[in-house]
Amino acid sequence: MAGAMAVSPEAAAEPVKVGMITTLSGGGASLGIDARDGFLLALKQSGTKDVEVVVEDDQRKPDVAVQLADKMIQSDKVDVLTGIIWSNLAMAVVPAAVNQGKFYLSVNAAPSQLAGRGCNPNYFSVSYQNDNLHEAAGAYASSAGYKKSFILAPNYPAGKDSLTGYKRFYEGELAGEVYTKLGQTDYAAEIAQIRASGADSVFFFLPGGMGIAFMKQYAQSGLDVPLVGPAFSFDQAILQAVGDAALGVKNTANWSKDIDNAANRKFVDGFVEGYGRLPSIYAAYGYDTANLLLSAMAKASVSDADAFRKALEVADFESVRGKFSFAANHHPIQDIYVREVVREGDVFTNKIIATAMTDRDNAYVADCKM
């Protein structure tokens, strides 16, 4: 699926062509659709005419993502790439793209390899560093008094980062640690392991369709061991599919629809009006990414790479998250919250109940030599 979408600003230094490679089909489609829709909403609200976006579906396949990136760089002549949701696809695309002088602004995937020794001046993660939300979950689990967590995640870069992050701030012991297959939909074996483990809590990172499958099967199993996870395991699409079984579950996030600032209210209201559904965290990242891009365009021409990079580093835009700045390795410094799954009318959603971390950067800043 491809489409060229032109949308338009007043004060841009120079037109910019964006190549958005994201997941629009299959089990992770809701994530990519939300990231795309959030990005395009910000451009529409800005009134800009100087951003052209070429959107392609990576089908959650690394080889397809690489082919699309090559086409966008060589044939479409894009200035900036964005959109990738999955870290294995990011690892396949980002290093080659930035080494060809293209800017990459991440709306989601932020593997540790690109935060530390593999960092690059042209790579910016607008979302987080992969470990971040999981670090906050580990900190929350410790503060909640959990002493024996069973932890599981898919076997790909973000899954490994998630469990690393959880363990970094979790002070108890592990009842078990399991890597599942990416895209897995049957969790009977893992649930049996949890049941036999004596765990007092379960931390899981299973985004998209994986999370829906796990949550439904967990509820059906009758296990009453408390669940903890990152926002990705409890996004809007997952919550609507799972329903009552998710109520009361705690999860960690750097964004929530109830963050009270003007930028977030404009985003949430605009998203609901434009798309007829509540935004997810992926939509929030897409929205912030577009506004970061626009803020840099207002200060510098993309053809002047050094000036444009400096304009990105300043991050002079109103984030839906409130406080937002970049660490030296181009990953955010931001607060991370604990949310609880609630029901508002007929809609399942999240509300903030605590702050898990304040001004958190990431564990890899010192390893990045830029």
Side-chain angles (χ1 to χ4, degrees):
M1 172 181 165
M5 305 177 195
V7 257
S8 163
E10 306 242 327
E14 178 186 344
V16 169
K17 192 169 189 179
V18 177
M20 175 173 278
I21 301 167
T22 198
T23 305
L24 303 173
S25 61
S30 66
L31 287 58
I33 289 168
D34 273 10
R36 176 200 65 190
D37 289 353
F39 190 93
L40 295 177
L41 174 64
L43 297 183
K44 181 179 180 181
Q45 288 181 342
S46 76
T48 186
K49 287 179 189 167
D50 294 310
V51 181
E52 180 184 354
V53 187
V54 180
V55 181
E56 296 271 13
D57 178 14
D58 59 36
Q59 305 168 46
R60 206 168 73 181
K61 297 176 181 176
D63 58 332
V64 173
V66 169
Q67 291 167 13
L68 292 173
D70 289 344
K71 171 184 138 344
M72 287 181 175
I73 292 169
Q74 294 162 19
S75 302
D76 297 325
K77 306 295 183 185
V78 301
D79 304 295
V80 174
L81 285 163
T82 190
I84 292 177
I85 299 296
W86 306 92
S87 289
N88 53 330
L89 275 65
M91 289 306 302
V93 167
V94 172
V98 294
N99 285 332
Q100 292 177 72
K102 301 300 176 184
F103 288 96
Y104 190 92
L105 308 181
S106 181
V107 300
N108 192 61
S112 56
Q113 295 95 321
L114 300 180
R117 294 179 183 176
C119 68
N120 186 283
N122 287 348
Y123 172 74
F124 290 78
S125 173
V126 191
S127 51
Y128 47 70
Q129 190 281 313
N130 270 2
D131 302 22
N132 282 159
L133 272 58
H134 317 289
E135 291 174 335
Y140 165 74
S142 294
S143 70
Y146 296 136
K147 302 195 179 300
K148 196 174 181 183
S149 284
F150 190 103
I151 62 176
L152 71 158
N155 190 14
Y156 78 121
K160 294 175 182 176
D161 287 344
S162 74
L163 298 193
T164 296
Y166 185 83
K167 290 185 288 186
R168 185 174 290 127
F169 285 89
Y170 173 62
E171 297 169 358
E173 63 177 295
L174 295 181
E177 180 174 357
V178 170
Y179 285 104
T180 61
K181 185 178 178 182
L182 186 63
Q184 182 172 322
T185 56
D186 183 353
Y187 294 94
E190 288 79 9
I191 291 170
Q193 286 179 268
I194 294 168
R195 189 185 299 277
S197 71
D200 66 0
S201 52
V202 176
F203 168 78
F204 73 104
F205 164 60
L206 292 168
M210 294 178 285
I212 294 171
F214 176 79
M215 281 292 294
K216 286 185 172 180
Q217 291 163 36
Y218 193 84
Q220 290 163 4
S221 76
L223 265 177
D224 60 359
V225 180
L227 295 170
V228 178
F232 320 117
S233 298
F234 300 94
D235 73 31
Q236 285 302 128
I238 289 176
L239 292 181
Q240 305 328 303
V242 171
D244 287 340
L247 283 173
V249 174
K250 309 301 190 297
N251 62 94
T252 46
N254 53 351
W255 172 84
S256 188
K257 72 177 180 60
D258 54 337
I259 292 177
D260 189 14
N261 64 58
N264 198 39
R265 289 191 294 271
K266 180 180 179 182
F267 162 60
V268 173
D269 291 347
F271 197 93
V272 171
E273 181 181 351
Y275 302 113
R277 66 186 190 277
L278 285 174
S280 69
I281 202 165
Y282 304 101
Y285 298 150
Y287 187 85
D288 269 0
T289 300
N291 280 319
L292 170 68
L293 174 66
L294 291 168
S295 74
M297 290 173 61
K299 293 175 180 288
S301 297
V302 72
S303 55
D304 184 344
D306 290 340
F308 198 76
R309 187 181 307 111
K310 288 177 182 175
L312 288 168
E313 288 172 343
V314 172
D316 186 16
F317 72 102
E318 296 297 322
S319 171
V320 297
R321 287 164 263 179
K323 289 188 298 179
F324 183 99
S325 59
F326 281 118
N329 63 348
H330 292 175
H331 289 66
I333 301 171
Q334 59 192 331
D335 294 347
I336 307 175
Y337 306 97
V338 180
R339 307 187 303 181
E340 181 177 348
V341 179
V342 297
R343 190 210 303 264
E344 295 179 356
D346 294 331
V347 177
F348 294 90
T349 187
N350 291 282
K351 71 172 184 179
I352 293 172
I353 59 169
T355 300
M357 291 182 160
T358 301
D359 296 327
R360 175 61 179 157
D361 52 7
N362 62 89
Y364 306 97
V365 177
D367 297 330
C368 173
K369 310 300 182 186
M370 290 199 293

